[in-house]
Amino acid sequence: MGLPIFSIIIPMYNVANYVARCIESLEQQDIPHSEYEIICINDGSPDNCKEIVENLQQKYSNIILLNQENQGVSMARNNGIAIASGKYILPIDPDDYVMPNSFGNIVALVEKLECEVLYLGFEIFDVDQKSIWKTNYSQQNHQLFDGVDGYFQARGFDVKDPDRSWAIVYKKELLTTYKITYPKNVPYLEDGLFLSKVFAVAQKVSFENTIFYQRTTRIGSATNSRLFYSEKAIDGFILAINDIKTFAKQNELTSKQDELINHTVAKFVLLAISPSINSFNFKEYYKILNKLKEAKIKKIETNGLRFLYKKHMYMFNFSKLLFPFYFKIINK
């Protein structure tokens, strides 16, 4: 038996009520189970995720269970990818699920286009399972873009979850060649940092407009917590800035690819400072400025910045003391 085409990566922590639905949806597909593996990483979950997966392993032969002490979602995904044997990596969140009989089309498309990254269509449901948003990739469907253009093709002011890493297929060779992993100690928007590295170096990116992924909203998930406003999150954003700058230095990037790095740096700077500005906590704002200074993050490069990022960073570079007043006015 040859190597699988897909390695599906599922990190698990306190999702016992959802993970069986997720895995069952992944098993109801139109390619043989031998052609894909489902790697479930039990991240020291205090519930019975482990037992649920062990029971499903009796039913399905393509499930791999990796148990570890709690290290967070980033390390769980990294550890899953490290043992993956598939040609392509497909991250899935355990409280979500996918449409049946979808894999055949995805395999055919990714092989035909020879793409390194493939965006898959997804739909978001509220806590009552009512559909509230879905992707529209009709303009990009099956077209090929370089990584930088592909990154921005999937974004816009009306796009939900632009910094997700799920519902995207990645060629594993791309991740291993450039040593791209999820960051440690970046507790919020770690996916965004991962994506910036991927798209900075990818050469072939495409889109599949068909809805594949079903995204559920639940109370208490990481994306709904107040972690964003914590000091731990802010420290993580500053770590992310230095991490992406180090990645750029370690690889010979084109000027266009460097512009995506600049955009990412600007994004994480704004993520670090905007909560304190929005809450009128100027003492906290100045504290964050000192942290940025200590991390040697001073003038922000503006080449390649998109949306409002360029205007924001021009003003930030001009006067960090006046920036909060400008930011409040421009974002009224």
PDB file of all heavy atoms in Angstrom, residues 19-40:
ATOM      1  N   VAL A  19     -16.223  15.817  18.451  1.00  0.00           N
ATOM      2  CA  VAL A  19     -15.181  15.180  17.660  1.00  0.00           C
ATOM      3  C   VAL A  19     -15.675  13.952  16.903  1.00  0.00           C
ATOM      4  O   VAL A  19     -15.215  13.686  15.772  1.00  0.00           O
ATOM      5  CB  VAL A  19     -13.956  14.839  18.545  1.00  0.00           C
ATOM      6  CG1 VAL A  19     -14.273  13.713  19.532  1.00  0.00           C
ATOM      7  CG2 VAL A  19     -12.754  14.497  17.687  1.00  0.00           C
ATOM      8  N   ALA A  20     -16.623  13.206  17.437  1.00  0.00           N
ATOM      9  CA  ALA A  20     -17.135  12.037  16.718  1.00  0.00           C
ATOM     10  C   ALA A  20     -17.840  12.482  15.431  1.00  0.00           C
ATOM     11  O   ALA A  20     -17.664  11.849  14.379  1.00  0.00           O
ATOM     12  CB  ALA A  20     -18.086  11.238  17.602  1.00  0.00           C
ATOM     13  N   ARG A  21     -18.634  13.552  15.510  1.00  0.00           N
ATOM     14  CA  ARG A  21     -19.295  14.073  14.313  1.00  0.00           C
ATOM     15  C   ARG A  21     -18.266  14.476  13.263  1.00  0.00           C
ATOM     16  O   ARG A  21     -18.424  14.209  12.062  1.00  0.00           O
ATOM     17  CB  ARG A  21     -20.169  15.274  14.674  1.00  0.00           C
ATOM     18  CG  ARG A  21     -20.873  15.910  13.480  1.00  0.00           C
ATOM     19  CD  ARG A  21     -21.610  17.186  13.846  1.00  0.00           C
ATOM     20  NE  ARG A  21     -20.692  18.261  14.234  1.00  0.00           N
ATOM     21  CZ  ARG A  21     -21.087  19.511  14.515  1.00  0.00           C
ATOM     22  NH1 ARG A  21     -22.372  19.829  14.458  1.00  0.00           N
ATOM     23  NH2 ARG A  21     -20.200  20.411  14.867  1.00  0.00           N
ATOM     24  N   CYS A  22     -17.207  15.128  13.713  1.00  0.00           N
ATOM     25  CA  CYS A  22     -16.142  15.565  12.815  1.00  0.00           C
ATOM     26  C   CYS A  22     -15.512  14.376  12.094  1.00  0.00           C
ATOM     27  O   CYS A  22     -15.405  14.359  10.857  1.00  0.00           O
ATOM     28  CB  CYS A  22     -15.081  16.327  13.608  1.00  0.00           C
ATOM     29  SG  CYS A  22     -13.618  16.800  12.647  1.00  0.00           S
ATOM     30  N   ILE A  23     -15.098  13.370  12.856  1.00  0.00           N
ATOM     31  CA  ILE A  23     -14.410  12.223  12.270  1.00  0.00           C
ATOM     32  C   ILE A  23     -15.338  11.425  11.363  1.00  0.00           C
ATOM     33  O   ILE A  23     -14.942  10.999  10.263  1.00  0.00           O
ATOM     34  CB  ILE A  23     -13.821  11.335  13.379  1.00  0.00           C
ATOM     35  CG1 ILE A  23     -12.705  12.091  14.107  1.00  0.00           C
ATOM     36  CG2 ILE A  23     -13.287  10.021  12.799  1.00  0.00           C
ATOM     37  CD1 ILE A  23     -12.162  11.375  15.326  1.00  0.00           C
ATOM     38  N   GLU A  24     -16.578  11.225  11.786  1.00  0.00           N
ATOM     39  CA  GLU A  24     -17.526  10.483  10.952  1.00  0.00           C
ATOM     40  C   GLU A  24     -17.728  11.173   9.602  1.00  0.00           C
ATOM     41  O   GLU A  24     -17.836  10.517   8.562  1.00  0.00           O
ATOM     42  CB  GLU A  24     -18.871  10.335  11.671  1.00  0.00           C
ATOM     43  CG  GLU A  24     -18.862   9.358  12.838  1.00  0.00           C
ATOM     44  CD  GLU A  24     -18.818   7.900  12.401  1.00  0.00           C
ATOM     45  OE1 GLU A  24     -18.797   7.622  11.178  1.00  0.00           O
ATOM     46  OE2 GLU A  24     -18.805   7.014  13.283  1.00  0.00           O
ATOM     47  N   SER A  25     -17.753  12.507   9.609  1.00  0.00           N
ATOM     48  CA  SER A  25     -17.918  13.224   8.335  1.00  0.00           C
ATOM     49  C   SER A  25     -16.699  13.015   7.440  1.00  0.00           C
ATOM     50  O   SER A  25     -16.822  12.946   6.215  1.00  0.00           O
ATOM     51  CB  SER A  25     -18.143  14.720   8.586  1.00  0.00           C
ATOM     52  OG  SER A  25     -16.950  15.398   8.956  1.00  0.00           O
ATOM     53  N   LEU A  26     -15.533  12.898   8.047  1.00  0.00           N
ATOM     54  CA  LEU A  26     -14.310  12.671   7.285  1.00  0.00           C
ATOM     55  C   LEU A  26     -14.231  11.251   6.729  1.00  0.00           C
ATOM     56  O   LEU A  26     -13.549  11.004   5.735  1.00  0.00           O
ATOM     57  CB  LEU A  26     -13.086  12.945   8.170  1.00  0.00           C
ATOM     58  CG  LEU A  26     -12.885  14.403   8.580  1.00  0.00           C
ATOM     59  CD1 LEU A  26     -11.858  14.513   9.710  1.00  0.00           C
ATOM     60  CD2 LEU A  26     -12.439  15.244   7.392  1.00  0.00           C
ATOM     61  N   GLU A  27     -14.932  10.326   7.360  1.00  0.00           N
ATOM     62  CA  GLU A  27     -14.922   8.943   6.898  1.00  0.00           C
ATOM     63  C   GLU A  27     -15.938   8.700   5.776  1.00  0.00           C
ATOM     64  O   GLU A  27     -15.823   7.723   5.038  1.00  0.00           O
ATOM     65  CB  GLU A  27     -15.207   7.987   8.062  1.00  0.00           C
ATOM     66  CG  GLU A  27     -14.172   8.030   9.181  1.00  0.00           C
ATOM     67  CD  GLU A  27     -12.836   7.401   8.808  1.00  0.00           C
ATOM     68  OE1 GLU A  27     -12.673   6.987   7.646  1.00  0.00           O
ATOM     69  OE2 GLU A  27     -11.954   7.324   9.685  1.00  0.00           O
ATOM     70  N   GLN A  28     -16.921   9.590   5.642  1.00  0.00           N
ATOM     71  CA  GLN A  28     -17.972   9.405   4.634  1.00  0.00           C
ATOM     72  C   GLN A  28     -17.550  10.089   3.334  1.00  0.00           C
ATOM     73  O   GLN A  28     -18.141  11.074   2.905  1.00  0.00           O
ATOM     74  CB  GLN A  28     -19.302   9.969   5.147  1.00  0.00           C
ATOM     75  CG  GLN A  28     -19.729   9.465   6.512  1.00  0.00           C
ATOM     76  CD  GLN A  28     -19.691   7.947   6.626  1.00  0.00           C
ATOM     77  OE1 GLN A  28     -20.211   7.236   5.761  1.00  0.00           O
ATOM     78  NE2 GLN A  28     -19.090   7.440   7.698  1.00  0.00           N
ATOM     79  N   GLN A  29     -16.514   9.547   2.728  1.00  0.00           N
ATOM     80  CA  GLN A  29     -15.934  10.174   1.552  1.00  0.00           C
ATOM     81  C   GLN A  29     -15.876   9.207   0.366  1.00  0.00           C
ATOM     82  O   GLN A  29     -16.156   8.016   0.507  1.00  0.00           O
ATOM     83  CB  GLN A  29     -14.537  10.707   1.892  1.00  0.00           C
ATOM     84  CG  GLN A  29     -14.536  11.805   2.937  1.00  0.00           C
ATOM     85  CD  GLN A  29     -15.322  13.031   2.510  1.00  0.00           C
ATOM     86  OE1 GLN A  29     -15.303  13.410   1.332  1.00  0.00           O
ATOM     87  NE2 GLN A  29     -16.036  13.643   3.442  1.00  0.00           N
ATOM     88  N   ASP A  30     -15.515   9.765  -0.798  1.00  0.00           N
ATOM     89  CA  ASP A  30     -15.578   9.002  -2.050  1.00  0.00           C
ATOM     90  C   ASP A  30     -14.216   8.550  -2.542  1.00  0.00           C
ATOM     91  O   ASP A  30     -14.041   8.280  -3.728  1.00  0.00           O
ATOM     92  CB  ASP A  30     -16.279   9.833  -3.133  1.00  0.00           C
ATOM     93  CG  ASP A  30     -15.687  11.228  -3.302  1.00  0.00           C
ATOM     94  OD1 ASP A  30     -14.757  11.567  -2.557  1.00  0.00           O
ATOM     95  OD2 ASP A  30     -16.174  11.973  -4.175  1.00  0.00           O
ATOM     96  N   ILE A  31     -13.233   8.486  -1.641  1.00  0.00           N
ATOM     97  CA  ILE A  31     -11.953   7.855  -1.965  1.00  0.00           C
ATOM     98  C   ILE A  31     -11.691   6.789  -0.898  1.00  0.00           C
ATOM     99  O   ILE A  31     -12.220   6.886   0.218  1.00  0.00           O
ATOM    100  CB  ILE A  31     -10.790   8.868  -2.033  1.00  0.00           C
ATOM    101  CG1 ILE A  31     -10.543   9.534  -0.661  1.00  0.00           C
ATOM    102  CG2 ILE A  31     -11.055   9.927  -3.103  1.00  0.00           C
ATOM    103  CD1 ILE A  31      -9.310  10.456  -0.630  1.00  0.00           C
ATOM    104  N   PRO A  32     -10.901   5.789  -1.191  1.00  0.00           N
ATOM    105  CA  PRO A  32     -10.648   4.721  -0.206  1.00  0.00           C
ATOM    106  C   PRO A  32      -9.988   5.271   1.057  1.00  0.00           C
ATOM    107  O   PRO A  32      -9.199   6.222   1.006  1.00  0.00           O
ATOM    108  CB  PRO A  32      -9.702   3.770  -0.953  1.00  0.00           C
ATOM    109  CG  PRO A  32      -9.921   4.057  -2.394  1.00  0.00           C
ATOM    110  CD  PRO A  32     -10.245   5.509  -2.487  1.00  0.00           C
ATOM    111  N   HIS A  33     -10.299   4.661   2.186  1.00  0.00           N
ATOM    112  CA  HIS A  33      -9.686   5.070   3.457  1.00  0.00           C
ATOM    113  C   HIS A  33      -8.167   4.934   3.430  1.00  0.00           C
ATOM    114  O   HIS A  33      -7.464   5.656   4.161  1.00  0.00           O
ATOM    115  CB  HIS A  33     -10.256   4.236   4.600  1.00  0.00           C
ATOM    116  CG  HIS A  33     -11.674   4.595   4.930  1.00  0.00           C
ATOM    117  ND1 HIS A  33     -12.477   3.815   5.728  1.00  0.00           N
ATOM    118  CD2 HIS A  33     -12.447   5.653   4.556  1.00  0.00           C
ATOM    119  CE1 HIS A  33     -13.673   4.359   5.842  1.00  0.00           C
ATOM    120  NE2 HIS A  33     -13.679   5.476   5.134  1.00  0.00           N
ATOM    121  N   SER A  34      -7.663   4.055   2.592  1.00  0.00           N
ATOM    122  CA  SER A  34      -6.216   3.873   2.503  1.00  0.00           C
ATOM    123  C   SER A  34      -5.522   5.083   1.885  1.00  0.00           C
ATOM    124  O   SER A  34      -4.298   5.218   1.992  1.00  0.00           O
ATOM    125  CB  SER A  34      -5.887   2.627   1.673  1.00  0.00           C
ATOM    126  OG  SER A  34      -6.406   2.757   0.349  1.00  0.00           O
ATOM    127  N   GLU A  35      -6.274   5.966   1.252  1.00  0.00           N
ATOM    128  CA  GLU A  35      -5.687   7.123   0.578  1.00  0.00           C
ATOM    129  C   GLU A  35      -5.620   8.363   1.462  1.00  0.00           C
ATOM    130  O   GLU A  35      -5.151   9.399   1.022  1.00  0.00           O
ATOM    131  CB  GLU A  35      -6.456   7.432  -0.711  1.00  0.00           C
ATOM    132  CG  GLU A  35      -6.309   6.340  -1.762  1.00  0.00           C
ATOM    133  CD  GLU A  35      -6.927   6.699  -3.096  1.00  0.00           C
ATOM    134  OE1 GLU A  35      -7.427   7.842  -3.235  1.00  0.00           O
ATOM    135  OE2 GLU A  35      -6.921   5.840  -3.999  1.00  0.00           O
ATOM    136  N   TYR A  36      -6.099   8.262   2.699  1.00  0.00           N
ATOM    137  CA  TYR A  36      -5.961   9.392   3.616  1.00  0.00           C
ATOM    138  C   TYR A  36      -5.923   8.894   5.055  1.00  0.00           C
ATOM    139  O   TYR A  36      -6.496   7.867   5.400  1.00  0.00           O
ATOM    140  CB  TYR A  36      -7.061  10.425   3.414  1.00  0.00           C
ATOM    141  CG  TYR A  36      -8.484   9.976   3.695  1.00  0.00           C
ATOM    142  CD1 TYR A  36      -9.137  10.348   4.871  1.00  0.00           C
ATOM    143  CD2 TYR A  36      -9.192   9.221   2.764  1.00  0.00           C
ATOM    144  CE1 TYR A  36     -10.458   9.979   5.110  1.00  0.00           C
ATOM    145  CE2 TYR A  36     -10.505   8.851   2.991  1.00  0.00           C
ATOM    146  CZ  TYR A  36     -11.136   9.225   4.163  1.00  0.00           C
ATOM    147  OH  TYR A  36     -12.446   8.856   4.402  1.00  0.00           O
ATOM    148  N   GLU A  37      -5.182   9.640   5.871  1.00  0.00           N
ATOM    149  CA  GLU A  37      -5.077   9.321   7.287  1.00  0.00           C
ATOM    150  C   GLU A  37      -5.637  10.484   8.106  1.00  0.00           C
ATOM    151  O   GLU A  37      -5.535  11.648   7.709  1.00  0.00           O
ATOM    152  CB  GLU A  37      -3.617   9.049   7.672  1.00  0.00           C
ATOM    153  CG  GLU A  37      -2.675  10.211   7.431  1.00  0.00           C
ATOM    154  CD  GLU A  37      -1.208   9.858   7.692  1.00  0.00           C
ATOM    155  OE1 GLU A  37      -0.907   8.678   7.954  1.00  0.00           O
ATOM    156  OE2 GLU A  37      -0.368  10.789   7.616  1.00  0.00           O
ATOM    157  N   ILE A  38      -6.230  10.154   9.218  1.00  0.00           N
ATOM    158  CA  ILE A  38      -6.810  11.151  10.123  1.00  0.00           C
ATOM    159  C   ILE A  38      -5.996  11.112  11.412  1.00  0.00           C
ATOM    160  O   ILE A  38      -6.067  10.151  12.183  1.00  0.00           O
ATOM    161  CB  ILE A  38      -8.292  10.870  10.400  1.00  0.00           C
ATOM    162  CG1 ILE A  38      -9.079  10.854   9.089  1.00  0.00           C
ATOM    163  CG2 ILE A  38      -8.864  11.894  11.363  1.00  0.00           C
ATOM    164  CD1 ILE A  38     -10.530  10.381   9.247  1.00  0.00           C
ATOM    165  N   ILE A  39      -5.196  12.141  11.627  1.00  0.00           N
ATOM    166  CA  ILE A  39      -4.324  12.186  12.802  1.00  0.00           C
ATOM    167  C   ILE A  39      -4.974  13.062  13.870  1.00  0.00           C
ATOM    168  O   ILE A  39      -5.116  14.281  13.694  1.00  0.00           O
ATOM    169  CB  ILE A  39      -2.933  12.735  12.439  1.00  0.00           C
ATOM    170  CG1 ILE A  39      -2.298  11.877  11.342  1.00  0.00           C
ATOM    171  CG2 ILE A  39      -2.038  12.788  13.674  1.00  0.00           C
ATOM    172  CD1 ILE A  39      -0.970  12.398  10.835  1.00  0.00           C
ATOM    173  N   CYS A  40      -5.398  12.440  14.957  1.00  0.00           N
ATOM    174  CA  CYS A  40      -6.034  13.142  16.068  1.00  0.00           C
ATOM    175  C   CYS A  40      -5.015  13.331  17.179  1.00  0.00           C
ATOM    176  O   CYS A  40      -4.418  12.351  17.645  1.00  0.00           O
ATOM    177  CB  CYS A  40      -7.229  12.349  16.591  1.00  0.00           C
ATOM    178  SG  CYS A  40      -8.522  12.062  15.366  1.00  0.00           S
TER     179      CYS A  40
END
